[in-house]
Amino acid sequence: MPAAQPDAIRLRGVRQNNLKGFDIDIPIGKLVVVTGLSGAGKSSLVFDTLHAEGQRRYVETFSPYVRQFLELLPAPALDSAENVRPSVAIKQGNAVRTSRSTVGTMTELCDWFKVWFAHRAELLDPASGQPVVPQGPAAAWDTCLQAHVGQAVVLAFAVQKPAGLAWPAIAEEFVRAGFTRAFVSGQRLRLGEEAIPEDADEALIIQDRLTISTAEASRFHEAALVAFRLGGGRMRLLTDAGVEIGRFSEILESPVDGRRFRPATPALFSFNSPIGACPDCRGFGRVIGLDWKKIIPDPKLTLAEGAVAPFQGNVYGESQRDLAKACKKKGIPLDVPWNKLTAAHRRYLEDGDPTYVPGEWESKWYGIRGFFRWLESSTYKMHVRVFLSRWRAYEECPKCRGQRFREESLWWRWQGRSLPELYALPVTELRTLLRPYAPKDSRHPADHALEAMLARLGYLEAVGLGYLALDRLSRTLSGGEVQRVNLTSCLGACLADTVFVLDEPSVGMHARDLSRMVGILRSLVEQGNTVVVVEHDESVMRAADWLIEIGPRPGAAGGHLVYAGKPTGILKAKDSVTGAWLSGRSQPATRAPRPVTDTTPRLRIEGATVNNLRDFSCTLPLGRLVGLCGVSGSGKSTLLHQVIGRRDPESGDTSAQGHGKLKFDREHEEVALVDQSPATRTPRSNPALYVGAWDAIRNLLGNSEEAKAAGLTPSHFSFNAGEGRCERCGGAGWETVEMQFVSDVALPCPSCNGKRFRDEVLAFQFDGKSVGDLMAMSVTEVRVFLGGRTPASQQLAVLEEVGLGYLSLGQPLTTLSGGEAQRLKLVRYLGRLDPRKPGALLLLDEPTTGLHREDVARLIALLHRLADAGHSLIVVEHHLDVLKACDWILEMGPEAGPGGGLLVAEGTPAQVSQAGTTTGNFLAAGDAAFATPDTRTAKPRPTSISLRAPVSTTCAMSRSRFRTAP
Ligand SMILES: [Zn+2]
Ligand SMILES: [Zn+2]
């Protein structure tokens, strides 16, 4: 008898990071949400313990050879683990870098499209634009019935004389096979008796002769089948007298010029296959070309003034002389600015003389392109490679115009559209287009594929990504978008009995899209999986089957299991911070918005046209906390980064066009984007150094009587200089080990064990604490310990203000989460030294990411302190608590993508909540939605939209693969 399905993953004595050795059961086959304050230990439980153990057991099923390529998580600290399942992390991070990875390939939609397209597309002859339809025996019979009833016709097939064979030998073969007659050049011959003229190119061997009537249908078909087979897929229809009345071909070829085409196979419609990929760019859609903005950096210069930058200077100055010579010959003026030259002249200068062949550089103009082609032929020289790289840039592949496919693939159309044209449509539009063709109970491979396509497109829509096109490059997606795309792939893959772990899938989602997101998580559970989500969003917590809280406080004061049970139970849990918020015992602090009047200084934006913003204008108050909201993809991030921040978030390009005009009524010291990127890239930095507290601390230590007695000075306690540092790591504490295949690993220095100092410095104690002890203590603990003895305490207190008091003093800043790094960066603006200077304009993109509602309350207080200090803040945010706390709100919308880009509401939070807009309605419902008495007793509502993935062969495969896991 098979063992009963275990009901829970049992983890015993969990001690990873700050976790306090508790036991926990995680129910299998349920939607589990883990919550808690930042730094309380949620990730330590979900990712470092549950997922690490699951992944470890899963990876053990691979051979040692494969294992060396997999990034292995370290074994978690725990006593025992039972019923562990293989675990898959659906990550936010964007590991995809290749430009062949698109939304279509990530979701495997391209794999289904190529199968479906191969069956359903028709080929348009490039010579005529007419469909090429293969015509076999049935088509030939139809022609005869329409045009030749009652006539005697001859079915024949053509034989070409192969080289090296004579006609008599060929004729003999056919006679032996039972053929007796043929037409050659219109003359009827008896094979074997009458000779075929040696100069004849082909002979039409007669298969049958019959008079067309319905009674002859089966005889015609039989004869035609043989004729097609022996004729290599072609057949001729002749009159009795040998006059051709029809040609039929079962093969794909142009009736106009006889061009043969490849059959429609899935490979022809895959840009990852050499058969389908554009040969010039190998399916990447772009090639390394010339960067004309660099070659002609200033189009206002004339040729004589040096408009062509690479020709200036000594090395290639000869080309400048060749250019002048060519201009004289061709009558191109040297004293006219480049941008005033005629288009034809510019093209001539760029492309060169059309008759130029390499080597003729003395007599003909080779063109700027020709110059670079010549350079490329000698790239083995280092200085040439360096020179070339200065003028190069990626450009759209000129052969396929970025469509990635070879020309032949593009001749195939479905409803008049080529495959890349379908890939360029937004998911929602594509789905609407395909849905009418949804098959009913068909087992045709094309219908099967279409079914899978529609299901996957539906998933993408359900997670709020209907605005993406399948050809969108993966590496241009935001972290949240990547996670949601990956989520739909997992649904499509039909894994079962697997643990999926997710980190805040609600990030970047509007409240409107959240219930659909929960529906997707539910579908994974319905497929027989366990879904464990680290999440703070109330509606997701409420929808969970099982809710876990780790806490109660961050860092050392956390790491306890505060609650595990049904979501409703947490409302009464005594120590639960989450329960306090959900039940309404905790409330966000309210304050009246700072007044915005006609005299309030403003930022005026005029005529911005970027992404989905079209000639967009608006104003917003300065010196205030301003919220930018709206559904995902409505254009708020574009407004923040590209229009106000004047920076392309993808390329970092600050020179892009279309940003419109910005007019400030008031000056700013700086405009700073405070994002979630790391505060520093060097592992040497830590919280004490970042706030400048370490100098005061080492002065305190080094100037103490005990230090003097031990012969130590403040400089011995410096990380960055002096002789107190560990010799091996120079005070860094960490060594970076370069790994093959996987990303580099930072390991504690083996000499000082990560403590950064020499043994005699570490042995020194100040008031019972060594430097090593201080570095390991939390910021809060160190502040309390130091008390009034040094100004460092005040500097450290700022870290507590931004909610980072739980960090240890020596924690490398590279290990901070995105949200932690963002709050750390705000520290700089808190302590404004000179109040007479104008404040900064601070731009924040979703600062509540990863925050518990309690942490959000602290963040809001921090934002207000910044506004009080005279800074202007513009915050892109979905979190209702933040929006309610704003002085002013701008809402973008009404929809995502092309349906957005408009300002739909503006005003105080109270005004916007009455505007009847999407965000307005959520603001109006607001607290009532989670703190009313009926939610307190309500059962968690599984907001299931019941999406079922089609059963597919890949599904069965993956399942059996996963069954082999323990
Ligand atoms: Zn190409
Ligand atoms: Zn060291």
Side-chain angles (χ1 to χ4, degrees):
M1 209 178 85
Q5 171 79 357
D7 58 348
I9 299 168
R10 294 180 213 288
L11 305 175
R12 294 292 171 263
V14 186
R15 284 173 281 101
Q16 182 69 26
N17 301 339
N18 71 335
L19 300 181
K20 298 292 192 296
F22 55 78
D23 299 344
I24 187 169
D25 289 356
I26 292 165
I28 287 173
K30 302 284 184 208
L31 174 57
V32 180
V33 170
V34 179
T35 191
L37 300 188
S38 294
K42 306 178 295 288
S43 297
S44 299
L45 174 65
V46 175
F47 293 96
D48 301 346
T49 305
L50 178 68
H51 174 59
E53 191 65 15
Q55 194 225 32
R56 219 164 53 86
R57 303 230 176 155
Y58 172 50
V59 168
E60 275 168 7
T61 62
F62 292 112
S63 72
Y65 176 75
V66 174
R67 256 182 274 163
Q68 67 172 340
F69 300 109
L70 297 168
E71 214 169 334
L72 247 193
L73 299 171
L78 79 172
D79 296 339
S80 70
E82 269 176 61
N83 307 328
V84 172
R85 291 292 180 269
S87 173
V88 174
I90 304 177
K91 290 199 183 133
Q92 300 213 0
N94 203 339
V96 205
R97 281 280 166 251
T98 157
S99 42
R100 271 206 293 226
S101 174
T102 62
V103 170
T105 60
M106 273 173 91
T107 52
E108 293 169 358
L109 266 161
C110 286
D111 292 333
W112 293 109
F113 264 91
K114 67 185 184 192
V115 172
W116 167 79
F117 203 76
H119 284 285
R120 292 292 183 243
E122 65 173 2
L123 173 64
L124 298 186
D125 185 356
S128 65
Q130 293 303 309
V132 177
V133 185
Q135 293 187 302
W141 175 242
D142 287 347
T143 308
C144 288
L145 270 189
Q146 271 169 27
H148 307 295
V149 173
Q151 285 176 25
V153 299
V154 171
L155 280 62
F157 56 91
V159 173
Q160 267 82 29
K161 188 176 82 167
L165 267 183
W167 277 121
I170 302 166
E172 202 179 309
E173 278 299 309
F174 279 104
V175 172
R176 208 174 296 145
F179 293 93
T180 54
R181 286 185 169 78
F183 278 109
V184 178
S185 317
Q187 300 298 310
R188 187 195 290 260
L189 297 176
R190 249 173 201 286
L191 290 172
E193 293 170 23
E194 294 165 86
I196 301 173
E198 265 314 305
D199 60 347
D201 292 332
E202 64 171 16
L204 301 178
I205 312 289
I206 295 172
Q207 167 67 29
D208 202 356
R209 176 188 173 280
L210 46 85
T211 304
I212 299 297
S213 75
T214 45
E216 298 282 24
S218 70
R219 178 173 160 194
F220 183 95
H221 275 281
E222 229 167 84
L225 273 177
V226 180
F228 271 108
R229 182 162 53 79
L230 295 174
R234 301 190 188 89
M235 185 184 81
R236 305 273 178 98
L237 208 57
L238 311 166
T239 64
D240 218 10
V243 178
E244 184 177 302
I245 51 176
R247 283 189 187 209
F248 299 91
S249 170
E250 283 184 318
I251 9 179
L252 282 171
E253 59 186 352
S254 166
V256 181
D257 55 13
R259 177 182 196 144
R260 300 273 292 256
F261 303 100
R262 283 171 219 256
T265 57
L268 185 62
F269 303 112
S270 163
F271 53 80
N272 281 323
S273 150
I275 295 173
C278 163
D280 282 25
C281 63
R282 299 188 352 268
F284 285 98
R286 50 178 207 166
V287 289
I288 290 191
L290 299 175
D291 189 341
W292 288 97
K293 269 191 282 193
K294 288 188 185 140
I295 293 171
I296 316 284
D298 184 0
K300 290 193 287 292
L301 293 183
T302 66
L303 291 170
E305 287 166 342
V308 185
F311 292 172
Q312 310 313 309
N314 285 333
V315 186
Y316 299 110
E318 202 178 324
S319 291
Q320 176 75 13
R321 288 190 285 281
D322 290 343
L323 175 89
K325 213 163 71 183
C327 285
K328 208 169 151 200
K329 241 168 143 182
K330 192 85 181 169
I332 300 174
L334 287 165
D335 55 353
V336 167
W338 174 267
N339 57 8
K340 295 277 164 32
L341 291 173
T342 66
H345 281 167
R346 281 203 302 259
R347 203 174 320 122
Y348 179 80
L349 293 169
E350 283 173 21
D351 297 347
D353 192 308
T355 63
Y356 172 81
V357 280
E360 294 180 327
W361 54 271
E362 273 179 289
S363 56
K364 283 179 185 159
W365 172 235
Y366 38 83
I368 300 170
R369 287 184 195 276
F371 167 77
F372 281 103
R373 269 197 302 274
W374 166 72
L375 274 184
E376 268 159 29
S377 63
S378 48
T379 48
Y380 58 89
K381 290 179 193 148
M382 191 51 159
H383 68 272
V384 172
R385 281 214 300 272
V386 172
F387 180 82
L388 266 175
S389 65
R390 277 170 55 199
W391 315 101
R392 274 175 157 166
Y394 279 106
E395 61 179 18
E396 192 183 82
C397 168
K399 177 93 176 173
C400 62
R401 278 175 290 122
Q403 293 191 306
R404 298 162 181 268
F405 287 98
R406 71 167 63 237
E407 202 185 2
E408 190 172 345
S409 309
L410 303 178
W411 294 334
W412 291 83
R413 302 293 169 113
W414 179 81
Q415 306 281 328
R417 291 177 207 255
S418 68
L419 191 55
E421 282 166 4
L422 291 175
Y423 286 164
L425 295 174
V427 162
T428 307
E429 207 175 308
L430 187 56
R431 185 159 170 251
T432 312
L433 189 69
L434 292 170
R435 205 157 33 184
Y437 302 90
K440 289 178 192 68
D441 290 333
S442 160
R443 283 296 94 199
H444 189 282
D447 292 333
H448 177 58
L450 181 57
E451 218 176 312
M453 282 149 57
L454 286 169
R456 280 170 165 78
L457 292 170
Y459 300 153
L460 283 170
E461 252 192 308
V463 294
L465 297 176
Y467 58 91
L468 291 180
L470 296 187
D471 64 3
R472 172 79 177 266
L473 284 177
S474 307
R475 60 189 168 79
T476 67
L477 299 174
S478 73
E481 285 171 334
V482 168
Q483 188 183 38
R484 283 182 275 153
V485 169
N486 285 339
L487 181 56
T488 67
S489 324
C490 290
L491 269 175
C494 295
L495 296 177
D497 206 9
T498 300
V499 172
F500 289 97
V501 294
L502 291 91
D503 194 8
E504 287 223 77
S506 72
V507 165
M509 285 185 95
H510 194 271
R512 185 188 74 168
D513 298 328
L514 266 177
S515 64
R516 294 196 293 183
M517 170 78 191
V518 170
I520 288 282
L521 296 177
R522 262 291 145 218
S523 311
L524 271 178
V525 171
E526 281 166 17
Q527 284 178 12
N529 302 294
T530 307
V531 178
V532 181
V533 185
V534 171
E535 185 58 83
H536 301 294
D537 183 87
E538 269 94 7
S539 61
V540 180
M541 285 197 267
R542 225 177 323 120
D545 300 315
W546 199 253
L547 185 60
I548 293 169
E549 181 172 348
I550 305 296
R553 293 282 142 194
H560 295 280
L561 182 60
V562 174
Y563 180 79
K566 293 209 153 67
T568 41
I570 203 166
L571 296 164
K572 298 201 181 74
K574 191 161 53 67
D575 287 337
S576 166
V577 183
T578 310
W581 279 100
L582 284 173
S583 64
R585 291 199 298 277
S586 294
Q587 289 283 343
T590 50
R591 58 174 283 166
R594 294 175 187 81
V596 175
T597 65
D598 291 348
T599 57
T600 308
R602 314 245 170 182
L603 163 58
R604 296 164 206 280
I605 296 160
E606 275 167 35
T609 303
V610 203
N611 297 344
N612 66 342
L613 302 183
R614 289 167 301 270
D615 197 17
F616 180 86
S617 300
C618 71
T619 65
L620 43 88
L622 294 171
R624 300 287 185 275
L625 175 54
V626 178
L628 266 183
C629 59
V631 293
S632 304
S634 61
K636 52 193 186 311
S637 288
T638 303
L639 182 60
L640 186 83
H641 293 279
Q642 274 150 281
V643 178
I644 303 175
R646 293 246 175 297
R647 196 166 186 283
D648 186 332
E650 246 178 59
S651 62
D653 189 3
T654 52
S655 65
Q657 302 294 305
H659 289 174
K661 280 203 197 87
L662 292 188
K663 280 207 318 241
F664 292 92
D665 291 353
R666 184 184 116 169
E667 282 307 302
H668 286 99
E669 198 175 357
E670 63 170 321
V671 179
L673 176 70
V674 186
D675 61 7
Q676 300 208 340
S677 64
T680 165
R681 303 242 171 234
T682 152
R684 196 183 278 269
S685 193
N686 58 43
L689 285 172
Y690 192 86
V691 296
W694 188 249
D695 282 341
I697 294 175
R698 72 188 172 93
N699 281 333
L700 178 71
L701 301 185
N703 291 329
S704 66
E705 290 306 318
E706 302 93 312
K708 281 177 188 152
L712 298 173
T713 64
S715 78
H716 282 97
F717 297 97
S718 164
F719 300 109
N720 298 324
E723 51 196 275
R725 300 176 299 163
C726 161
E727 277 169 14
R728 174 163 181 150
C729 61
W734 295 79
E735 285 187 333
T736 305
V737 182
E738 283 177 28
M739 304 287 283
Q740 266 182 313
F741 307 117
V742 295
S743 47
D744 296 350
V745 174
L747 294 173
C749 163
S751 175
C752 63
N753 262 327
K755 291 187 173 156
R756 299 160 177 251
F757 292 100
R758 289 159 68 139
D759 286 345
E760 55 267 38
V761 178
L762 289 170
F764 167 76
Q765 296 220 331
F766 176 82
D767 199 3
K769 303 278 182 202
S770 71
V771 198
D773 294 338
L774 287 177
M775 297 314 280
M777 285 158 70
S778 76
V779 167
T780 304
E781 287 165 340
V782 173
R783 183 190 51 79
V784 172
F785 168 74
L786 295 174
R789 288 184 276 195
T790 159
S793 303
Q794 271 131 44
Q795 288 161 305
L796 293 176
V798 186
L799 287 169
E800 290 177 89
E801 274 182 60
V802 297
L804 296 175
Y806 59 87
L807 296 179
S808 70
L809 202 62
Q811 182 167 348
L813 294 187
T814 45
T815 63
L816 297 193
S817 73
E820 288 169 336
Q822 188 173 39
R823 280 179 284 155
L824 185 69
K825 289 185 212 170
L826 288 175
V827 163
R828 274 183 59 204
Y829 301 97
L830 265 183
R832 265 184 79 209
L833 297 174
D834 187 352
R836 287 163 305 175
K837 276 196 180 162
L841 173 59
L842 302 177
L843 311 179
L844 293 97
D845 199 347
E846 297 200 46
T848 61
T849 300
L851 297 192
H852 189 276
R853 213 160 155 221
E854 172 110 349
D855 291 323
V856 171
R858 299 183 71 133
L859 176 78
I860 292 170
L862 173 62
L863 296 178
H864 278 301
R865 281 205 44 198
L866 289 163
D868 288 340
H871 300 295
S872 302
L873 292 103
I874 304 176
V875 183
V876 165
E877 195 45 87
H878 293 291
H879 202 291
L880 294 176
D881 285 358
V882 176
L883 291 177
K884 281 183 199 166
C886 284
D887 301 317
W888 196 257
I889 291 179
L890 293 171
E891 181 179 353
M892 304 288 293
E895 291 297 324
L902 302 173
L903 186 65
V904 294
E906 63 180 321
T908 62
Q911 286 164 339
V912 172
S913 72
Q914 299 306 310
T917 55
T918 312
T919 306
N921 291 342
F922 276 100
L923 277 173
D927 274 351
F930 49 76
T932 51
D934 57 314
T935 16
R936 239 170 271 181
T937 51
K939 286 214 173 76
R941 263 177 309 147
T943 19
S944 177
I945 51 171
S946 189
L947 284 160
R948 285 214 161 270
V951 180
S952 71
T953 46
T954 49
C955 165
M957 265 167 52
S958 331
R959 240 187 220 145
S960 60
R961 209 176 70 202
F962 272 85
R963 279 226 180 97
T964 59

